[in-house]
Amino acid sequence: MNALLNNGLFRRVISVIILLIIWKIVAALIGDETILPSPNNVAESIKYHASAELFHHVYITLLRVFAAFFLAMFIGSAIGIAMGRREKLDDYFDGWLILALNVPALVTIILCFIWFGLNEVAAILAVAINKIPTVTVILREGTKALNEKLIDVGKIYNLKRSEIVKEILIPQLYPYFISAARSGLALIWKIVLVVELLGRSNGVGFKINEFFSMFDTTSILAYTLVFVFIIMSIEWFLVKPIEKKLTEWRL
């Protein structure tokens, strides 16, 4: 028994079971499916929608999530590293960065739809623009925390600039890339749902808005839980293994 209690996976499973039990009890006490449906009814709703269009809309939303994610990571990382390595650049654009961090996501989404129209380009740009400042901050701070002595050693051994970047600079930034990626996934998919709710005719956000108009809480939770499960699976089976692999050198 002690061996089981010391097993991390076992504790996580028990935690989920406890959550489901609490959910079931609270739903029974409320007794109103419109407010909080039971886990059993949500599971039945998932089965029902899975035979129809659930996974089509989930697939569309995932495409938008990954398109915006990679765009934000690429641009944000480049800007963050540049600001971290160039003090003057950081001084010039720090105010811009603070401004970008404080612009509400809803404002950015609406402006992108006004400027570029109700299309995929506007949708993906709106999401990416909301995430780029956060990635920039994380990579800027990571770049400032680099061990300059290691870079100096590379120069002593006459390493090329590209070799210093590849072998010394980038490996030190791996934890910051992972941190930006992890927070990025958590934030981007939520913004994508808002974008779909406001200006797209497909995707999870669009369907949630449709169910909202019918006060169908069960279907809202069904779509939400399926998508959350997929995002959590990406975190567990993709992001964490990559993080472990990239940070092995630090052990």
Side-chain angles (χ1 to χ4, degrees), residues 202-217:
N202 50 28
V204 175
F206 167 77
K207 292 299 294 183
I208 287 176
N209 188 39
E210 182 181 291
F211 295 135
F212 166 69
S213 66
M214 298 183 289
F215 294 94
D216 187 354
T217 309

Side-chain angles (χ1 to χ4, degrees), residues 58-123:
V58 168
Y59 172 72
I60 295 296
T61 298
L62 280 174
L63 288 180
R64 292 178 181 135
V65 166
F66 286 120
F69 172 78
F70 287 114
L71 183 62
M73 285 295 296
F74 178 77
I75 296 175
S77 296
I79 296 173
I81 292 172
M83 291 178 69
R85 297 298 293 171
R86 298 287 184 269
E87 185 177 351
K88 290 182 179 179
L89 198 64
D90 189 26
D91 291 338
Y92 280 125
F93 293 106
D94 182 62
W96 294 28
L97 189 56
I98 293 173
L99 175 64
L101 285 167
N102 286 283
V103 174
L106 184 60
V107 172
T108 306
I109 294 167
I110 292 173
L111 287 176
C112 282
F113 280 144
I114 291 173
W115 291 338
F116 305 109
L118 296 174
N119 53 55
E120 288 299 326
V121 172

